[in-house]
Amino acid sequence: SARLHGTASSSVLLGWQGSSTSVVEAVLPTSWYTGRRGRPQSMPKLEACKASNEAAALQGKIALCVGGSSGCGKGVALVLARQGCSVTLVGRNAARGEEAVAACTAASPPDAGATFRFVSMDVRSLSAIARFCDEFKAQAAQLDFLSLSCTRGGIQGYRPTAEGLDERVCTMYLSRFAFVHWLLPLLERADDPRVLSILSAGHHKVYKAWQSDFLTRHAGMAQRTFAAGFYNDCACAALARSQPKLTLIHAFPGFVRTNWHMELPWGLRALTKVLMKAGKSLETCGEFMAYPLLCGTFDSGFHSLTEFADPCASCAGDTAAEDGIWKLSVEQFEMRASA
C-alpha cells in the first residue's frame, strides 16, 4: 500500500491516467523539460532566499508543520528552527518524527528558548484533526506560521478513507485546510500570520465538476489531483478576501530528493530514482519554500509561487467558485468534527 509523506513532489504525477501530459512532463518542473534556461538562476536565487531567511528573527514565534517529519515540510521546519522559532511537527511515522525533532533542536540557536515536539496522527481523519486543533488552541497563545505539505503519492485509483473521502483529495486538500479552518483563531492572534501549502501551484488545471462532484468520487486519478490543486488555489483566494490579515501561499516544490518514488510501480520507481539525483535537497527546497513565510514582500493576500519562489499563474479568479468551494469544504470539516 502507498504511504503518506511530508513532501509534495509526488503530487505532480498528473499525467499517468486520464491526461495527455507525458510522464516526463508530470514528474519534472516545467523549466526542466522546456529547456534548461531556468536552472542556472536557481543558485543565485537560492543564495538570496537563504540570506533573506537568515535575517529573520523568530524568537517567540510559533509554527505548526503538518507533514514536517520528512521531505519539503522538514526542510521548512529546519529553516524556522534555525531562526529561533518553536515548531510542532505533525506526521505518521514516529521514528522520522523524532529524528526531525532532533534535527530542529540541533539547528536552533542555544539561546533562542525554542521548543520542538512531534505529534503522530493520521491526517486522513478530519475528526482527528479537529481534536488535535482543539488541544493545540488550548496550549498555544498564537500561531505565526502554518506549513502544510502532507500528500498522497502513488497512482492508485479512488480509495476512500474511513470517513468516506478520497485519500488523495483528503490529504492534499481537505486535511490541509481543515487545519487552517480550525486554527484561524490562533492565526488571527499573530502579528503577521502566514499559511503555506506546498503542492502544485501553476501545475494543475481547473476542476470543472466541483459543484456536481466536489468529493471527486467519479473522477479519474489525474482529475482528482487537479481538483486538489484547484481547491488549494480557490481556498487560498477565498480566505485572502475574508481574512485580510492572513498571507496565504500555494507553492510548487519542484523535483526534490525524497523517498516519494517508492510508492510508484517498479518501472517508474527505477526511472525516478535515477532522476532523483538531479533534484533539489530537502534543505534547498526548505529555503525556497520558507522564503515567502519570512520575507516582507509577501505581505497579506494570496500568492501562487514556483519552485524558486517566483510568482506564477493560479487557477483562482472566479469568486463564485472560490466561495462555493470554501463553503463546501467547511461543510465537510464541520460534519466530520461533529460525527
Side-chain angles (χ1 to χ4, degrees):
S1 62
R3 297 180 297 277
L4 297 170
H5 291 302
T7 174
S9 296
S10 57
S11 69
V12 295
L13 280 168
L14 308 180
W16 185 254
Q17 176 182 331
S19 169
S20 60
T21 310
S22 72
V23 172
V24 173
E25 291 173 326
V27 301
L28 291 178
T30 306
S31 59
W32 287 33
Y33 58 79
T34 57
R36 302 174 65 88
R37 293 162 56 186
R39 291 192 65 199
Q41 300 300 317
S42 62
M43 188 55 66
K45 180 74 173 182
L46 172 61
E47 294 171 354
C49 287
K50 187 172 182 180
S52 177
N53 292 341
E54 289 178 339
L58 303 184
Q59 288 86 345
K61 301 292 186 181
I62 298 173
L64 175 63
C65 295
V66 181
S69 58
S70 63
C72 306
K74 181 179 178 180
V76 171
L78 288 171
V79 173
L80 296 175
R82 185 188 67 205
Q83 301 310 122
C85 188
S86 293
V87 183
T88 296
L89 306 166
V90 173
R92 294 187 69 193
N93 188 299
R96 283 204 302 258
E98 294 308 320
E99 289 174 2
V101 167
C104 287
T105 303
S108 181
D111 59 349
T115 59
F116 306 97
R117 67 175 179 133
F118 171 73
V119 177
S120 177
M121 69 178 298
D122 185 351
V123 297
R124 294 171 298 183
S125 170
L126 298 186
S127 58
I129 294 172
R131 290 191 297 272
F132 167 84
C133 290
D134 285 341
E135 295 170 1
F136 193 83
K137 284 185 287 189
Q139 298 169 357
Q142 86 276 350
L143 181 59
D144 300 278
F145 307 109
L146 177 55
S147 172
L148 306 161
S149 59
C150 53
T151 193
R152 180 67 165 86
I155 56 173
Q156 74 292 330
Y158 177 82
R159 184 175 297 171
T161 67
E163 296 176 334
L165 304 169
D166 173 62
E167 281 192 355
R168 182 174 294 266
V169 171
C170 181
T171 310
M172 291 160 55
Y173 170 66
L174 286 170
S175 296
R176 295 177 180 219
F177 281 82
F179 282 99
V180 180
H181 172 64
W182 282 313
L183 293 176
L184 269 176
L186 284 187
L187 289 163
E188 290 171 346
R189 291 182 200 166
D191 293 332
D192 184 14
R194 302 198 177 197
V195 176
L196 167 67
S197 183
I198 304 174
L199 189 63
S200 59
H203 286 259
H204 55 264
K205 301 176 182 178
V206 171
Y207 178 63
K208 298 180 180 179
W210 67 267
Q211 290 175 293
S212 60
D213 190 21
F214 175 68
L215 297 178
T216 68
R217 287 174 175 152
H218 306 291
M221 188 275 287
Q223 288 301 311
R224 292 199 308 279
T225 308
F226 286 142
F230 177 56
Y231 291 170
N232 269 259
D233 280 350
C234 289
C236 284
L239 283 165
R241 283 186 284 104
S242 64
Q243 305 289 332
K245 189 178 181 181
L246 273 183
T247 299
L248 297 115
I249 304 127
H250 181 194
F252 173 62
F255 200 61
V256 186
R257 295 197 299 271
T258 63
N259 58 356
W260 66 269
H261 66 288
M262 297 304 295
E263 300 178 355
L264 301 175
W266 184 88
L268 277 179
R269 191 186 309 169
L271 170 63
T272 53
K273 185 176 181 180
V274 173
L275 295 173
M276 195 77 66
K277 297 178 181 179
K280 294 191 292 290
S281 66
L282 68 87
E283 292 82 6
T284 294
C285 181
E287 296 290 352
F288 283 122
M289 297 294 100
Y291 176 66
L293 286 177
L294 306 182
C295 179
T297 302
F298 304 93
D299 184 18
S300 74
F302 167 40
H303 305 270
S304 180
L305 302 178
T306 71
E307 62 190 293
F308 301 128
D310 294 316
C312 66
S314 81
C315 288
D318 182 338
T319 302
E322 295 163 6
D323 291 341
I325 286 167
W326 185 243
K327 181 176 182 292
L328 291 171
S329 303
V330 172
E331 289 174 0
Q332 292 297 319
F333 303 154
E334 298 297 338
M335 183 194 317
R336 296 314 190 283
S338 60

